């Protein structure tokens, strides 16, 4: 088997592993009823889209809830007319149950459609795991990483529910990966990508506020090991000195990512 054939076979294997992950997720969606807070997340996301009102479920950021509710909103255009008393008190649990089980569309169809966006985000996380492994160690490592991710029960389960955890994991992972790519070859698109991924993580789950510290720690360790994190226009400039000058050099890049 020549190199071209090996590459083609590896791509086919990678594609099949991604299809396997999505198939496992669809099977999970079909076989499992609502978990405790999915109705709340769906109703909250739908209310954001239908009413532009963010009173429900303020303990979680809106992004994942909105994209979970978006297919339901686009496909069914269900009227969102909650009980005024429940709405005024933001009784999210009762409103969630009413939205899911008292709408004109059966609750299992609403729930299944609302779970699909998270499953697609899970597919992106699996693909990114394989791609990063490929960038680090080559095709064999990429296929191993894809296989491990595609058949990881916790990942399949969390990607098949209307929750905020999968989105937070994906965008946190993406931010760290883009920072790694930036350290290898600084460019403005990569630097802005780090900031955008971190922003999407924060819009997915409040606990990702620790991502700023994680990125800073990764940068410091990288610099301690002799690397540098200059702005793109300064990437080719040799910096004399040790750890402290390289930290100072990295600050503009870190602030630019935060501003993005």
């Amino acid at each position: 088997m020549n190199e071209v054939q090996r590459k083609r076979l590896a791509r086919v294997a990678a594609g099949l592993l991604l299809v396997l992950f999505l198939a496992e997720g669809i099977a999970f969606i079909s076989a499992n009823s609502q978990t405790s807070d999915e109705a709340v997340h769906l109703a909250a996301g739908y209310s954001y889209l239908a009413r532009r009102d963010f009173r429900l479920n303020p303990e979680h950021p809106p992004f994942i809830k909105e994209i979970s509710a978006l297919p339901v909103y686009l496909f069914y255009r269900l009227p969102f007319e909650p009980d005024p008393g429940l709405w005024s008190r933001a009784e999210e649990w009762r409103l969630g149950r009413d939205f899911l089980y008292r709408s004109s569309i059966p609750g299992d169809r609403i729930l299944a459609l609302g779970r699909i966006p998270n499953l697609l985000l899970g597919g992106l996380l699996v693909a990114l795991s394989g791609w990063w492994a490929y960038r680090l160690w080559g095709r064999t490592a990429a296929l191993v990483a894809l296989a491990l991710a595609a058949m990881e029960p916790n990942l399949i389960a969390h990607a098949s529910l209307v929750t905020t955890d999968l989105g937070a994991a994906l965008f946190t992972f993406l931010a760290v990966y883009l920072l790694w790519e930036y350290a290898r070859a600084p460019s403005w698109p990569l630097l802005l990508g780090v900031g955008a991924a971190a922003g999407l993580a924060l819009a997915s789950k409040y606990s990702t506020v620790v991502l700023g510290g994680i990125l800073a720690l990764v940068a410091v360790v990288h610099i301690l090991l002799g690397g540098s994190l200059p702005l793109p226009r300064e990437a080719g400039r040799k910096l004399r000195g040790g750890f402290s000058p390289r930290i100072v050099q990295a600050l503009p890049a870190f602030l630019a990512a935060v501003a993005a």
Side-chain angles (χ1 to χ4, degrees):
M1 185 180 293
N2 60 36
E3 182 64 17
V4 173
Q5 290 173 321
R6 281 195 291 270
K7 284 183 179 179
R8 187 175 301 148
L9 182 61
R11 288 171 185 163
V12 171
L16 290 174
L17 286 168
L18 285 173
V19 170
L20 173 63
F21 175 81
L22 296 175
E24 291 169 326
I26 291 171
F28 183 100
I29 288 170
S30 302
N32 287 273
S33 60
Q34 178 218 333
T35 58
S36 62
D37 54 356
E38 285 184 284
V40 172
H41 288 154
L42 265 180
Y46 200 91
S47 71
Y48 304 160
L49 297 172
R51 290 207 166 194
R52 307 296 191 269
D53 191 310
F54 293 83
R55 74 180 66 188
L56 296 184
N57 200 234
E59 60 267 33
H60 296 289
F63 180 59
I64 298 299
K65 292 178 287 185
E66 286 183 311
I67 64 171
S68 295
L70 184 60
V72 180
Y73 182 76
L74 294 177
F75 275 80
Y76 296 134
R77 291 286 179 172
L78 296 170
F80 190 78
E81 299 171 350
D83 177 272
L86 297 177
W87 180 250
S88 66
R89 297 192 302 274
E91 293 277 359
E92 57 186 44
W93 295 98
R94 292 179 62 184
L95 289 171
R97 288 194 298 270
D98 288 349
F99 174 73
L100 193 57
Y101 298 115
R102 293 188 178 180
S103 296
S104 58
I105 304 299
D108 57 346
R109 287 169 58 184
I110 295 174
L111 186 62
L113 193 57
R115 286 170 167 177
I116 294 298
N118 231 26
L119 181 59
L120 297 178
L121 293 180
L124 290 176
L125 181 55
V126 171
L128 183 57
S129 300
W131 174 249
W132 198 353
Y134 172 77
R135 295 281 289 137
L136 284 166
W137 302 296
R139 283 196 301 270
T140 301
L143 292 175
V144 171
L146 280 170
L148 291 173
M151 292 182 282
E152 160 50 35
N154 289 300
L155 183 54
I156 296 166
H158 280 284
S160 304
L161 300 172
V162 184
T163 67
T164 57
D165 301 302
L166 194 284
L170 169 63
F171 296 120
T172 297
F173 192 74
L174 179 61
V176 177
Y177 163 71
L178 291 175
L179 181 62
W180 176 80
E181 288 283 11
Y182 182 83
R184 288 166 58 90
S187 70
W188 283 112
L190 285 173
L191 186 59
L192 296 177
V194 173
L200 289 172
L202 290 168
S204 300
K205 198 173 181 71
Y206 286 128
S207 58
T208 57
V209 68
V210 301
L211 179 57
I214 292 171
L215 294 174
L217 179 62
V218 170
V220 168
V221 171
H222 174 71
I223 291 170
L224 279 171
L225 295 175
S228 63
L229 285 170
L231 285 171
R233 65 173 178 269
E234 300 172 348
R237 184 167 62 89
K238 297 290 185 182
L239 183 68
R240 296 182 179 276
F243 173 73
S244 296
R246 290 200 302 275
I247 281 287
V248 172
Q249 183 196 46
L251 283 176
F254 188 79
L255 292 174
V258 170

